[in-house]
Structures are given as C-alpha cells and as structure tokens.
C-alpha cells in the first residue's frame, strides 16, 4: 500500500473521520451508507484507537486549564498525542481507501488496437505491447498472448493479452484509454513529427459462472399436467412450476409422470436461464467497458502522450504526470510503476472527496 499524504487538517476530512468514529462507537454501522462499502473489521482497531487518543487529548487540555504547574507538561504531552493521532488518521484513511479501491478480478484481458495514424499507429501498438509484457515480467505477473494480428513492416493491428492473478488488475487498471505518440516516422524524409494513437482496454476475464439455488429464494408450486385441448393427461399434481423470487424467472415442467422428475428438470431449466442471464450480464459489462476505454481512438481523447522528440511522457489525468526517459519507460520498468502509483494515489484522493461529498449531502 503506497503512502498517501492526505489533507488531515481539512475540516471536511476531520468531519468524515468523526462521523465514522461516532458510528463505530454507537454500533450504528448498519444505519449509514458507509457500512455497505467499508470492511468494518479491517478498520475497527484504528477507530477504537482514534477515539481513545481524542479522549486523552481532551483530558490533557482540561488538566492544563485547571493546574498551571501542569500546563507545560500537558502541552508537551499533547504534541506527542497529536503526532500519534496524525499517523493513525493517515493509516485509517489509507485502510478505508484501499478497501474501497481494490479490485476483485483474478485475471484481466489487455487489448491494444491501432487507431489514428495508419502504419505509424500499428508500430506504436507494437511498442505498447512490448512495454506491457516487460511491465508484467518485472512485476512477476504471468501472461499469455491470446490474439496477435501482425501488420506489414513489423507493426501490429490488434493484440490481446491475458494477465493472470489479483495483482494484474491492480497494476494495469489505469492503462485503459487512448494513448498518443508524437515522433518522426522512419519513412518521413522531411523530418516532420507525426501524431498517431492506439486504444487500450483493460477488461475482466469472464468468470466461470456458478449458480447456487437457495431454497428460500424458490417458490415451488405443483399442479395437474394438461395435454392438448386442456384435457388432463393424469389425475395427480405431477406438473411443477418453480419461480426464482430474486430474479422473477419462472419455469414449468410437466413432461414426466413423476413430480420428482419434473421438479429436477424444472430446476435444471431454471439454472440454465439464470446462467444465460449472468453470462449476458458479463458480456454486456465487458462490452461497455471496452467501448468507454477505447473511445473512437481520436487524438483529442488521449489519456497519455509519448513525445519522442522531447523524450517525455505526459499522463493528462494528473497534475504531476510528466516524466522523462522514454526508452526506460517503454521497457516497462520503474518509471511506468512510478506513474501507476501516482495514478492510484490520485484515484484514492478522488474517492475520499466523493465520500466526503456524500456525507455532506446526508447531513443536509
């Protein structure tokens, strides 16, 4: 977990921490929105310690008011307690933000596609492909190239890579978007700088779908099976209708004379319908993610620019996102890792701002 310098002196940050402390003290986690997104157990000890330090500080301040001789001693003690409190609050916020920010994907698929710039764009895809393989190797992330569409002159039209393990999503999640390159192509005789783009998408690997049917979620009804013309084909309640209450999906089976067999077939049909729903949901989410990240591949959609002439990389999402040494950066080493950490910290600070704004809305 990287170190975040969060604005503890900000009144809104202190108000947010006080809100969490009060909720913890009153055991009212279930009554506030934050309990739904925060792993309480991971931060409970820190909240407990914060409450105790705040109480100790109040006692010291009261002591200094009552006893003049103890005032200097209390002031020295207060400085120690405030340092402990600052360190604890930084740790507490990092725990909260880490918990909210972490991904749950075990594997991800990284796709790179040539966009604006023709042949030069395809050569840039090759550079990005090698950069990401190098980064994965440096991090010890296992990878497998799933698709590789090579172009003439050594370029790549499209490539997709499977990155395995929880670390993959954590380290590559910020790479999705349009990447822009500015450089003089080898075929350019006049020395004119060309601008080309490539689109990168980071997608969760579709998971194996497990359908677990909970008995309390099922409404099972029996009825008499009917044949053509509405005539009963038997006089027992052998037909079965099962409704899955959470989804509203209902299936019926009346093909067998045995109610038990009809129930087994109905359950199988229900599992199949639920599986199809989940699969379509996964495909829809992944398709939407791809669309959002890849955009149209236009030059003005860029998230990052690689300028060869100035040996500079600029990530346009953060203020301090400019670095140099392109050759080392494209090797997927320490420079890329440093930028990923900056993007991660920036995202966590945005999450904190979002949490505070939500709290302010609740208070109003």
């Amino acid at each position: 977990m990287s170190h975040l310098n969060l604005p503890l002196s900000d009144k809104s940050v202190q108000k947010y921490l006080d809100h969490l402390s009060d909720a913890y003290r009153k055991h009212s986690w279930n009554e506030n929105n934050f309990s739904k997104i925060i792993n309480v157990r991971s931060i409970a000890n820190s909240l407990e310690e914060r409450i105790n330090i705040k109480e100790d500080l109040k006692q010291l301040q009261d002591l200094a008011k009552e006893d003049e001789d103890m005032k200097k001693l209390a002031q020295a003690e207060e400085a120690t307690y405030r340092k402990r409190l600052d360190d604890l609050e930084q740790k507490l916020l990092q725990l909260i933000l880490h918990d909210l920010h972490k991904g749950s994907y075990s594997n991800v698929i990284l796709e790179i596609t040539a966009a604006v710039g023709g042949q030069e764009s395809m050569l840039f895809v090759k550079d990005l492909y090698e950069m990401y393989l190098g980064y994965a190797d440096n991090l010890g992330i296992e990878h497998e190239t799933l698709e590789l569409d090579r172009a003439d002159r050594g370029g790549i039209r499209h490539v997709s890579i499977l990155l395995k393990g929880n670390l993959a999503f954590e380290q590559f999640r910020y790479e999705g978007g349009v990447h822009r390159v500015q450089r003089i192509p080898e075929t350019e005789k006049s020395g004119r700088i060309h601008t080309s783009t490539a689109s990168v998408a980071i997608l969760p690997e579709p998971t194996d779908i497990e359908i677990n049917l909970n008995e309390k979620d099922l409404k099972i009804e029996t009825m008499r099976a009917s044949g053509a013309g509405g005539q009963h084909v038997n006089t027992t309640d052998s037909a079965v209708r099962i409704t899955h209450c959470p989804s509203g999906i209902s299936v019926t089976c009346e093909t067998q004379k045995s109610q038990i067999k009809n129930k087994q077939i109905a359950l199988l049909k229900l599992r199949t319908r639920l599986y199809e729903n989940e699969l379509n949901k996964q495909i829809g989410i992944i398709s939407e993610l791809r669309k959002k990240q890849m955009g149209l591949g236009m030059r003005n959609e860029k998230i990052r620019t690689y300028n060869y002439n100035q040996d500079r990389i600029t990530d346009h999402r953060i203020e301090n996102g400019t670095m140099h040494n392109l050759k080392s950066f494209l090797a997927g080493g320490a420079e890329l890792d440093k930028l990923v950490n900056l993007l991660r910290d920036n995202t966590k600070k945005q999450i904190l701002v979002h949490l505070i704004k939500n709290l302010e809305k609740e208070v109003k």
Side-chain angles (χ1 to χ4, degrees):
M1 199 186 304
S2 58
H3 181 69
L4 274 171
N5 290 314
L6 295 164
L8 293 176
S9 57
D10 191 304
K11 288 182 181 178
S12 59
V13 174
Q14 286 298 316
K15 191 175 180 181
Y16 172 69
L17 289 173
D18 287 342
H19 173 80
L20 290 180
S21 297
D22 288 344
Y24 173 75
R25 184 188 283 136
K26 296 171 184 174
H27 304 289
S28 60
W29 289 100
N30 293 329
E31 297 171 15
N32 65 82
N33 291 334
F34 303 101
S35 63
K36 298 171 186 174
I37 50 177
I38 293 172
N39 183 345
V40 180
R41 279 182 292 180
S42 68
I43 65 166
N45 290 338
S46 295
L47 283 171
E48 184 87 48
E49 192 177 346
R50 182 178 187 267
I51 291 167
N52 291 337
I53 293 174
K54 296 276 274 189
E55 288 174 353
D56 289 342
L57 274 168
K58 189 177 183 309
Q59 288 176 7
L60 278 171
Q61 289 164 351
D62 292 342
L63 185 64
K65 290 175 187 175
E66 293 172 10
D67 191 332
E68 196 64 35
D69 294 334
M70 292 292 291
K71 191 172 183 179
K72 287 186 179 180
L73 184 61
Q75 286 174 342
E77 281 285 306
E78 185 179 345
T80 303
Y81 276 105
R82 290 212 174 274
K83 175 67 171 63
R84 273 181 60 198
L85 185 62
D86 282 353
D87 291 344
L88 177 68
E89 288 179 340
Q90 283 284 353
K91 175 187 169 186
L92 181 55
L93 284 173
Q94 288 189 66
L95 279 170
I96 293 165
L97 296 175
H98 176 73
D99 196 48
L100 290 169
H101 185 250
K102 66 185 178 184
S104 58
Y105 305 117
S106 54
N107 297 337
V108 294
I109 294 171
L110 185 152
E111 295 184 351
I112 319 169
T113 306
V116 175
Q119 181 62 38
E120 182 61 20
S121 173
M122 296 177 200
L123 290 170
F124 182 42
V125 171
K126 179 176 176 288
D127 293 336
L128 292 177
Y129 172 53
E130 292 173 351
M131 177 181 81
Y132 290 133
L133 289 187
Y135 190 44
D137 286 337
N138 287 330
L139 293 171
I141 294 174
E142 191 180 346
H143 55 82
E144 178 185 347
T145 300
L146 303 176
E147 184 183 359
L148 182 60
D149 182 7
R150 293 192 182 276
D152 299 333
R153 303 177 190 174
I156 297 173
R157 292 187 185 86
H158 173 81
V159 61
S160 62
I161 313 159
L162 175 64
L163 300 160
K164 301 178 182 180
N166 294 327
L167 188 61
F169 179 73
E170 181 67 21
Q171 297 299 125
F172 282 86
R173 66 196 299 177
Y174 310 101
E175 295 305 300
V178 175
H179 294 240
R180 181 176 70 170
V181 63
Q182 295 175 322
R183 61 186 175 189
I184 302 169
E186 292 179 8
T187 54
E188 177 60 58
K189 294 178 181 178
S190 64
R192 187 165 58 91
I193 293 174
H194 284 228
T195 299
S196 306
T197 65
S199 294
V200 176
I202 308 297
L203 310 166
E205 182 191 27
T207 56
D208 292 332
I209 298 168
E210 288 186 18
I211 302 298
N212 296 313
L213 295 179
N214 196 324
E215 198 72 35
K216 65 180 176 62
D217 293 334
L218 303 179
K219 180 183 177 184
I220 302 174
E221 301 167 278
T222 59
M223 66 203 80
R224 288 186 180 179
S226 58
Q231 293 179 334
H232 296 305
V233 295
N234 61 51
T235 56
T236 61
D237 293 342
S238 62
V240 176
R241 179 167 60 216
I242 301 177
T243 303
H244 184 248
C245 298
S247 65
I249 293 173
S250 183
V251 294
T252 304
C253 183
E254 54 181 54
T255 59
Q256 306 296 315
K257 291 181 180 180
S258 164
Q259 186 188 107
I260 294 173
K261 286 184 179 179
N262 279 331
K263 182 180 177 183
Q264 288 173 344
I265 294 171
L267 284 169
L268 180 60
K269 286 169 71 175
L270 179 59
R271 285 179 185 276
T272 302
R273 290 277 302 278
L274 289 170
Y275 180 90
E276 286 174 355
N277 275 13
E278 286 302 311
L279 184 62
N280 288 334
K281 199 184 295 180
Q282 276 196 22
I283 292 169
I285 290 169
I286 291 169
S287 177
E288 191 62 29
L289 276 171
R290 182 185 285 109
K291 199 183 299 181
K292 283 181 180 177
Q293 292 180 65
M294 299 185 80
L296 299 173
M298 303 303 287
R299 294 179 179 91
N300 61 352
E301 293 178 325
K302 80 273 183 184
I303 61 163
R304 189 179 300 155
T305 296
Y306 304 72
N307 188 306
Y308 275 66
N309 192 43
Q310 298 176 10
D311 191 32
R312 186 188 72 224
I313 311 99
T314 303
D315 197 291
H316 305 286
R317 294 166 290 182
I318 48 178
E319 289 183 14
N320 52 349
T322 296
M323 31 198 3
H324 295 83
N325 197 345
L326 247 172
K327 185 177 180 182
S328 180
F329 188 92
L330 287 168
E335 285 83 0
L336 177 54
D337 199 47
K338 180 182 176 183
L339 183 56
V340 167
N341 285 329
L342 288 172
L343 287 163
R344 182 187 296 114
D345 289 354
N346 182 66
T347 303
K348 287 182 178 179
K349 286 179 182 178
Q350 288 177 356
I351 292 171
L352 179 61
V353 170
H354 176 72
L355 288 173
I356 289 169
K357 283 182 178 177
N358 278 355
L359 174 61
E360 288 169 349
K361 285 179 187 176
E362 280 192 7
V363 171
K364 285 178 184 176

